[in-house]
Amino acid sequence: MTHVYIGDFSLRVNSSNYHSYLFSRFARIYPLHIFVLFLFFGLKIVKLFLLNNFAFTGKFNLTALFANIFLLQAFDLSCPPLLWCNTYWNEPAWSISVEFVIYCIFPFLLLFLLRNSEINDSIIYIYTLFSILLLIAFTRGNLDSIIGIPSIARCALECVLGIITYKVYCRGNYKKYFNLNFLTIIAITWIILIMNYYWHHLHSLHDWLILPAFSLLILAVSVNNNGVISKGLNFRLMLYLGTISYSIYMVHWFVQEMLKIFYIYKFHHIFGKSFTEYEALTSLGVFLMIIILAASLTYKFVEVPRRNYLKSTIFAKQ
Protein backbone atom coordinates (compact mmCIF):
# COMPACT_ATOMS: atom_id res chain seq x y z
CA MET A 1 0.00 0.00 0.00
CA THR A 2 2.74 2.44 0.94
CA HIS A 3 4.75 1.54 -2.15
CA VAL A 4 1.74 2.17 -4.42
CA TYR A 5 0.45 5.38 -2.83
CA ILE A 6 3.55 7.09 -1.45
CA GLY A 7 3.68 9.38 -4.48
CA ASP A 8 0.05 10.44 -4.04
CA PHE A 9 0.13 11.24 -0.33
CA SER A 10 3.72 12.18 0.48
CA LEU A 11 2.99 15.92 0.31
CA ARG A 12 -0.73 16.38 0.96
CA VAL A 13 -4.15 14.73 1.07
CA ASN A 14 -6.82 16.56 -0.90
CA SER A 15 -10.35 15.66 -1.94
CA SER A 16 -9.32 14.70 -5.47
CA ASN A 17 -6.56 12.20 -4.72
CA TYR A 18 -8.37 10.93 -1.60
CA HIS A 19 -11.62 10.13 -3.43
CA SER A 20 -9.79 8.52 -6.33
CA TYR A 21 -7.77 6.36 -3.96
CA LEU A 22 -10.79 5.34 -1.85
CA PHE A 23 -12.89 4.41 -4.87
CA SER A 24 -10.00 2.34 -6.18
CA ARG A 25 -9.70 0.42 -2.90
CA PHE A 26 -13.46 -0.16 -2.80
CA ALA A 27 -13.38 -1.57 -6.33
CA ARG A 28 -10.50 -3.79 -5.28
CA ILE A 29 -12.21 -5.54 -2.37
CA TYR A 30 -15.98 -5.20 -2.68
CA PRO A 31 -17.07 -7.08 -5.86
CA LEU A 32 -15.52 -10.40 -4.82
CA HIS A 33 -16.68 -9.95 -1.23
CA ILE A 34 -20.32 -9.46 -2.26
CA PHE A 35 -20.11 -12.33 -4.79
CA VAL A 36 -18.88 -14.82 -2.18
CA LEU A 37 -21.40 -13.52 0.34
CA PHE A 38 -24.27 -14.37 -1.98
CA LEU A 39 -22.70 -17.76 -2.68
CA PHE A 40 -23.02 -18.34 1.06
CA PHE A 41 -26.65 -17.21 0.90
CA GLY A 42 -27.31 -19.80 -1.81
CA LEU A 43 -25.48 -22.44 0.21
CA LYS A 44 -27.73 -21.75 3.20
CA ILE A 45 -30.78 -22.30 0.97
CA VAL A 46 -29.30 -25.60 -0.23
CA LYS A 47 -28.59 -26.61 3.37
CA LEU A 48 -32.19 -25.86 4.29
CA PHE A 49 -33.50 -28.32 1.69
CA LEU A 50 -30.78 -31.01 1.92
CA LEU A 51 -30.38 -31.28 5.69
CA ASN A 52 -33.69 -29.82 6.87
CA ASN A 53 -31.74 -27.54 9.22
CA PHE A 54 -32.46 -23.97 10.14
CA ALA A 55 -30.50 -21.95 7.61
CA PHE A 56 -30.37 -18.40 8.95
CA THR A 57 -29.46 -18.77 12.60
CA GLY A 58 -26.29 -18.20 14.64
CA LYS A 59 -23.66 -16.27 12.73
CA PHE A 60 -25.68 -16.76 9.54
CA ASN A 61 -28.49 -14.53 10.75
CA LEU A 62 -30.04 -11.98 8.39
CA THR A 63 -28.90 -8.99 10.46
CA ALA A 64 -25.32 -10.15 9.98
CA LEU A 65 -25.99 -10.57 6.25
CA PHE A 66 -26.96 -6.90 5.91
CA ALA A 67 -23.97 -5.88 8.05
CA ASN A 68 -21.71 -7.74 5.63
CA ILE A 69 -23.35 -6.16 2.60
CA PHE A 70 -22.58 -2.69 3.97
CA LEU A 71 -19.12 -3.64 5.33
CA LEU A 72 -20.23 -3.06 8.91
CA GLN A 73 -19.48 -6.51 10.32
CA ALA A 74 -16.57 -5.23 12.42
CA PHE A 75 -18.83 -2.75 14.21
CA ASP A 76 -20.99 -5.30 16.02
CA LEU A 77 -21.18 -3.93 19.57
CA SER A 78 -22.42 -7.30 20.84
CA CYS A 79 -18.91 -8.75 20.57
CA PRO A 80 -16.70 -6.88 23.03
CA PRO A 81 -13.17 -8.20 23.60
CA LEU A 82 -14.07 -11.18 25.76
CA LEU A 83 -16.98 -12.54 23.72
CA TRP A 84 -17.44 -14.09 20.31
CA CYS A 85 -19.81 -12.36 17.93
CA ASN A 86 -22.07 -13.55 15.11
CA THR A 87 -21.42 -11.12 12.29
CA TYR A 88 -19.24 -13.06 9.86
CA TRP A 89 -20.90 -15.18 7.19
CA ASN A 90 -17.60 -15.63 5.37
CA GLU A 91 -15.02 -15.91 8.16
CA PRO A 92 -12.15 -14.23 6.24
CA ALA A 93 -14.43 -11.26 5.51
CA TRP A 94 -13.95 -9.97 9.05
CA SER A 95 -10.93 -8.18 7.61
CA ILE A 96 -12.79 -6.65 4.65
CA SER A 97 -14.83 -4.42 6.95
CA VAL A 98 -11.74 -3.56 8.99
CA GLU A 99 -9.56 -2.96 5.95
CA PHE A 100 -11.99 -0.45 4.50
CA VAL A 101 -11.93 1.51 7.76
CA ILE A 102 -8.13 1.52 7.64
CA TYR A 103 -8.23 2.50 3.96
CA CYS A 104 -10.14 5.62 5.04
CA ILE A 105 -7.40 6.73 7.45
CA PHE A 106 -4.35 5.31 5.61
CA PRO A 107 -3.51 8.45 3.57
CA PHE A 108 -3.44 10.55 6.76
CA LEU A 109 -1.30 7.97 8.58
CA LEU A 110 1.05 7.88 5.62
CA LEU A 111 1.31 11.66 5.42
CA PHE A 112 2.08 11.88 9.14
CA LEU A 113 4.60 9.03 9.29
CA LEU A 114 6.53 10.07 6.18
CA ARG A 115 7.55 13.27 7.98
CA ASN A 116 9.23 11.45 10.86
CA SER A 117 12.95 11.02 11.30
CA GLU A 118 14.71 7.66 11.47
CA ILE A 119 14.93 7.84 15.27
CA ASN A 120 11.25 8.68 15.61
CA ASP A 121 10.39 5.78 13.30
CA SER A 122 12.23 3.39 15.63
CA ILE A 123 10.42 4.78 18.67
CA ILE A 124 7.00 4.59 16.98
CA TYR A 125 7.69 1.04 15.75
CA ILE A 126 8.56 -0.14 19.28
CA TYR A 127 5.57 1.66 20.85
CA THR A 128 3.27 0.21 18.18
CA LEU A 129 4.56 -3.32 18.83
CA PHE A 130 3.89 -3.00 22.55
CA SER A 131 0.47 -1.49 21.87
CA ILE A 132 -0.42 -4.59 19.87
CA LEU A 133 0.84 -6.78 22.73
CA LEU A 134 -1.41 -4.91 25.17
CA LEU A 135 -4.33 -5.27 22.77
CA ILE A 136 -3.75 -9.02 22.57
CA ALA A 137 -3.38 -9.37 26.33
CA PHE A 138 -6.57 -7.44 27.14
CA THR A 139 -8.78 -9.08 24.49
CA ARG A 140 -8.62 -12.82 23.86
CA GLY A 141 -4.91 -13.40 24.40
CA ASN A 142 -4.48 -14.48 20.79
CA LEU A 143 -3.73 -12.31 17.76
CA ASP A 144 -5.94 -14.38 15.47
CA SER A 145 -8.98 -14.11 17.77
CA ILE A 146 -9.20 -10.31 17.93
CA ILE A 147 -12.60 -9.53 16.42
CA GLY A 148 -15.16 -6.74 16.37
CA ILE A 149 -14.08 -3.22 17.34
CA PRO A 150 -10.64 -4.31 18.71
CA SER A 151 -9.77 -5.71 15.27
CA ILE A 152 -9.87 -2.17 13.87
CA ALA A 153 -7.21 -1.10 16.39
CA ARG A 154 -5.17 -4.20 15.55
CA CYS A 155 -5.14 -3.47 11.82
CA ALA A 156 -4.43 0.24 12.30
CA LEU A 157 -1.40 -0.59 14.42
CA GLU A 158 -0.21 -3.20 11.90
CA CYS A 159 -0.63 -0.57 9.19
CA VAL A 160 1.79 1.67 11.10
CA LEU A 161 4.31 -1.19 11.25
CA GLY A 162 3.99 -1.66 7.50
CA ILE A 163 4.55 2.01 6.67
CA ILE A 164 7.65 2.21 8.86
CA THR A 165 8.98 -1.05 7.40
CA TYR A 166 8.67 0.50 3.94
CA LYS A 167 10.55 3.61 5.09
CA VAL A 168 13.40 1.38 6.34
CA TYR A 169 13.38 -0.34 2.93
CA CYS A 170 13.64 3.02 1.14
CA ARG A 171 16.60 4.10 3.29
CA GLY A 172 18.34 0.80 2.60
CA ASN A 173 20.74 1.15 5.56
CA TYR A 174 20.13 -2.43 6.68
CA LYS A 175 21.67 -3.76 3.45
CA LYS A 176 25.09 -2.57 4.64
CA TYR A 177 24.98 -4.65 7.80
CA PHE A 178 23.05 -7.79 6.90
CA ASN A 179 23.42 -10.57 4.39
CA LEU A 180 19.95 -10.56 2.78
CA ASN A 181 19.84 -14.32 2.18
CA PHE A 182 20.82 -14.98 5.78
CA LEU A 183 18.22 -12.46 6.97
CA THR A 184 15.57 -14.26 4.89
CA ILE A 185 16.48 -17.62 6.41
CA ILE A 186 16.31 -16.17 9.93
CA ALA A 187 12.89 -14.60 9.28
CA ILE A 188 11.39 -17.74 7.71
CA THR A 189 12.78 -19.99 10.45
CA TRP A 190 11.44 -17.56 13.07
CA ILE A 191 7.95 -17.63 11.51
CA ILE A 192 7.87 -21.43 11.09
CA LEU A 193 8.92 -22.03 14.71
CA ILE A 194 6.23 -19.70 16.04
CA MET A 195 3.55 -21.21 13.81
CA ASN A 196 4.38 -24.77 14.79
CA TYR A 197 5.08 -24.51 18.51
CA TYR A 198 2.31 -22.92 20.54
CA TRP A 199 3.30 -21.51 23.92
CA HIS A 200 0.34 -22.25 26.17
CA HIS A 201 1.72 -20.35 29.15
CA LEU A 202 2.75 -17.31 27.08
CA HIS A 203 0.00 -17.36 24.49
CA SER A 204 -0.33 -13.55 24.33
CA LEU A 205 3.38 -13.23 23.56
CA HIS A 206 3.39 -16.13 21.09
CA ASP A 207 1.51 -14.55 18.15
CA TRP A 208 2.93 -11.09 18.84
CA LEU A 209 6.51 -12.22 18.16
CA ILE A 210 5.65 -13.10 14.58
CA LEU A 211 5.06 -9.43 13.62
CA PRO A 212 8.72 -8.22 13.59
CA ALA A 213 9.64 -11.45 11.82
CA PHE A 214 7.44 -10.47 8.90
CA SER A 215 9.05 -7.01 8.83
CA LEU A 216 12.45 -8.71 8.51
CA LEU A 217 11.15 -11.06 5.82
CA ILE A 218 9.69 -8.20 3.77
CA LEU A 219 12.94 -6.25 4.02
CA ALA A 220 15.03 -9.26 3.06
CA VAL A 221 13.07 -10.37 -0.02
CA SER A 222 12.00 -6.94 -1.33
CA VAL A 223 15.53 -6.23 -2.58
CA ASN A 224 16.16 -7.70 -6.00
CA ASN A 225 19.01 -10.17 -5.51
CA ASN A 226 20.15 -13.49 -6.91
CA GLY A 227 19.57 -15.54 -3.79
CA VAL A 228 17.87 -18.93 -3.98
CA ILE A 229 14.89 -17.80 -1.90
CA SER A 230 14.34 -14.65 -3.96
CA LYS A 231 14.49 -16.68 -7.16
CA GLY A 232 12.01 -19.13 -5.70
CA LEU A 233 9.60 -16.32 -4.81
CA ASN A 234 9.88 -15.01 -8.37
CA PHE A 235 9.00 -18.41 -9.82
CA ARG A 236 5.99 -18.20 -12.15
CA LEU A 237 3.73 -20.34 -9.96
CA MET A 238 4.53 -18.26 -6.86
CA LEU A 239 3.81 -15.03 -8.75
CA TYR A 240 0.50 -16.47 -9.97
CA LEU A 241 -0.51 -17.52 -6.46
CA GLY A 242 0.27 -13.99 -5.33
CA THR A 243 -1.87 -12.59 -8.14
CA ILE A 244 -4.92 -14.66 -7.15
CA SER A 245 -4.22 -14.48 -3.40
CA TYR A 246 -7.22 -12.28 -2.63
CA SER A 247 -9.51 -14.74 -4.42
CA ILE A 248 -7.89 -17.63 -2.51
CA TYR A 249 -8.46 -15.77 0.74
CA MET A 250 -12.10 -15.04 0.00
CA VAL A 251 -13.27 -18.35 -1.50
CA HIS A 252 -11.51 -20.94 0.67
CA TRP A 253 -14.00 -20.74 3.55
CA PHE A 254 -16.95 -21.10 1.18
CA VAL A 255 -15.43 -24.21 -0.39
CA GLN A 256 -14.81 -25.63 3.07
CA GLU A 257 -18.42 -24.99 4.16
CA MET A 258 -19.76 -26.45 0.91
CA LEU A 259 -17.72 -29.65 1.32
CA LYS A 260 -18.92 -30.03 4.92
CA ILE A 261 -22.59 -29.74 3.95
CA PHE A 262 -22.45 -32.15 1.03
CA TYR A 263 -20.30 -34.63 2.98
CA ILE A 264 -22.84 -34.71 5.82
CA TYR A 265 -25.66 -35.14 3.29
CA LYS A 266 -23.86 -38.00 1.52
CA PHE A 267 -22.20 -39.87 4.40
CA HIS A 268 -24.17 -38.66 7.44
CA HIS A 269 -21.17 -37.75 9.59
CA ILE A 270 -18.75 -34.85 9.94
CA PHE A 271 -16.16 -34.41 7.23
CA GLY A 272 -12.71 -35.61 8.34
CA LYS A 273 -13.77 -36.91 11.73
CA SER A 274 -12.87 -40.56 11.04
CA PHE A 275 -10.11 -39.98 8.46
CA THR A 276 -6.83 -41.84 8.66
CA GLU A 277 -3.63 -39.77 8.31
CA TYR A 278 -3.36 -40.79 4.65
CA GLU A 279 -6.99 -39.84 3.97
CA ALA A 280 -6.54 -36.52 5.76
CA LEU A 281 -3.43 -35.64 3.70
CA THR A 282 -5.12 -36.74 0.48
CA SER A 283 -8.18 -34.65 1.33
CA LEU A 284 -5.96 -31.67 2.07
CA GLY A 285 -4.27 -32.01 -1.33
CA VAL A 286 -7.60 -32.25 -3.15
CA PHE A 287 -8.96 -29.32 -1.11
CA LEU A 288 -5.99 -27.13 -2.07
CA MET A 289 -6.43 -27.95 -5.76
CA ILE A 290 -10.14 -27.11 -5.58
CA ILE A 291 -9.32 -23.82 -3.84
CA ILE A 292 -6.76 -22.79 -6.47
CA LEU A 293 -9.14 -23.74 -9.29
CA ALA A 294 -12.05 -21.85 -7.70
CA ALA A 295 -9.84 -18.83 -6.99
CA SER A 296 -8.55 -18.82 -10.57
CA LEU A 297 -12.12 -18.73 -11.85
CA THR A 298 -13.30 -16.00 -9.47
CA TYR A 299 -10.19 -13.94 -10.23
CA LYS A 300 -10.76 -14.17 -13.97
CA PHE A 301 -14.54 -13.87 -14.11
CA VAL A 302 -15.47 -11.86 -11.01
CA GLU A 303 -12.61 -10.01 -9.31
CA VAL A 304 -10.89 -8.42 -12.33
CA PRO A 305 -13.93 -7.75 -14.58
CA ARG A 306 -16.02 -6.23 -11.79
CA ARG A 307 -13.12 -4.12 -10.55
CA ASN A 308 -12.45 -2.81 -14.05
CA TYR A 309 -16.16 -2.17 -14.58
CA LEU A 310 -16.44 -0.07 -11.44
CA LYS A 311 -13.33 1.91 -12.29
CA SER A 312 -14.30 2.53 -15.91
CA THR A 313 -17.97 3.33 -15.42
CA ILE A 314 -19.34 4.31 -12.03
CA PHE A 315 -16.15 5.70 -10.49
CA ALA A 316 -14.95 7.32 -13.70
CA LYS A 317 -17.85 9.78 -13.30
CA GLN A 318 -16.71 10.91 -9.87
Side-chain angles (χ1 to χ4, degrees):
M1 288 281 292
T2 304
H3 179 71
V4 172
Y5 291 107
I6 191 170
D8 295 326
F9 302 118
S10 59
L11 298 177
R12 66 185 183 279
V13 179
N14 56 45
S15 59
S16 177
N17 63 8
Y18 183 75
H19 288 156
S20 175
Y21 148 80
L22 204 57
F23 289 145
S24 177
R25 299 317 302 171
F26 180 84
R28 172 74 175 88
I29 66 171
Y30 193 74
L32 185 59
H33 164 63
I34 204 70
F35 175 78
V36 176
L37 184 61
F38 281 101
L39 285 182
F40 267 99
F41 185 86
L43 189 61
K44 295 300 120 182
I45 299 295
V46 171
K47 182 179 179 180
L48 182 65
F49 286 100
L50 285 185
L51 303 179
N52 296 317
N53 288 346
F54 293 108
F56 299 104
T57 58
K59 74 172 188 173
F60 295 105
N61 63 81
L62 293 178
T63 302
L65 174 64
F66 285 103
N68 278 263
I69 291 173
F70 294 102
L71 296 176
L72 297 173
Q73 58 267 37
F75 292 91
D76 183 6
L77 298 179
S78 67
C79 56
L82 300 178
L83 300 173
W84 292 111
C85 57
N86 293 320
T87 57
Y88 307 120
W89 276 52
N90 184 17
E91 286 286 336
W94 72 268
S95 70
I96 304 306
S97 174
V98 173
E99 282 174 34
F100 196 72
V101 175
I102 304 308
Y103 288 160
C104 292
I105 66 172
F106 169 76
F108 304 99
L109 276 176
L110 184 59
L111 183 64
F112 170 74
L113 290 171
L114 287 177
R115 297 176 178 180
N116 286 328
S117 65
E118 188 172 345
I119 294 176
N120 285 338
D121 282 342
S122 300
I123 294 171
I124 291 173
Y125 190 95
I126 292 170
Y127 270 106
T128 302
L129 268 182
F130 278 100
S131 297
I132 295 173
L133 180 60
L134 290 174
L135 182 66
I136 295 170
F138 286 102
T139 53
R140 296 191 63 85
N142 184 288
L143 184 67
D144 194 45
S145 297
I146 298 176
I147 53 178
I149 299 294
S151 65
I152 299 174
R154 167 198 165 178
C155 287
L157 292 168
E158 290 174 342
C159 180
V160 171
L161 295 183
I163 293 172
I164 294 176
T165 299
Y166 185 79
K167 289 184 69 178
V168 174
Y169 161 75
C170 288
R171 293 189 189 107
N173 295 341
Y174 63 97
K175 290 182 284 186
K176 300 176 183 178
Y177 309 107
F178 298 100
N179 178 287
L180 295 179
N181 291 323
F182 183 62
L183 194 64
T184 305
I185 293 170
I186 290 175
I188 292 175
T189 304
W190 184 344
I191 292 167
I192 289 173
L193 288 174
I194 292 174
M195 291 178 68
N196 283 277
Y197 297 99
Y198 189 75
W199 306 345
H200 294 282
H201 301 294
L202 295 170
H203 57 283
S204 294
L205 193 64
H206 177 273
D207 286 355
W208 175 74
L209 284 172
I210 208 168
L211 297 173
F214 272 106
S215 286
L216 285 179
L217 181 61
I218 291 167
L219 289 173
V221 301
S222 58
V223 179
N224 194 10
N225 63 73
N226 294 320
V228 175
I229 295 174
S230 293
K231 287 181 178 179
L233 291 173
N234 283 304
F235 188 62
R236 183 175 296 179
L237 175 61
M238 295 297 291
L239 293 175
Y240 179 70
L241 290 176
T243 300
I244 66 170
S245 60
Y246 179 55
S247 280
I248 291 174
Y249 179 66
M250 291 302 290
V251 305
H252 81 274
W253 202 268
F254 170 78
V255 174
Q256 176 179 278
E257 291 295 312
M258 183 177 65
L259 288 175
K260 286 180 180 179
I261 289 173
F262 285 102
Y263 194 86
I264 291 174
Y265 173 74
K266 181 70 176 177
F267 300 105
H268 308 292
H269 59 86
I270 298 173
F271 180 78
K273 188 174 183 179
S274 59
F275 282 7
T276 64
E277 184 177 349
Y278 173 76
E279 290 172 334
L281 289 173
T282 302
S283 299
L284 176 61
V286 173
F287 179 71
L288 290 174
M289 288 190 287
I290 293 173
I291 293 297
I292 293 172
L293 175 60
S296 298
L297 293 173
T298 54
Y299 176 78
K300 183 175 181 179
F301 296 108
V302 180
E303 183 182 343
V304 173
R306 294 301 91 193
R307 180 176 69 217
N308 292 340
Y309 172 77
L310 288 176
K311 287 183 176 181
S312 63
T313 56
I314 299 174
F315 296 156
K317 299 175 184 178
Q318 301 296 324

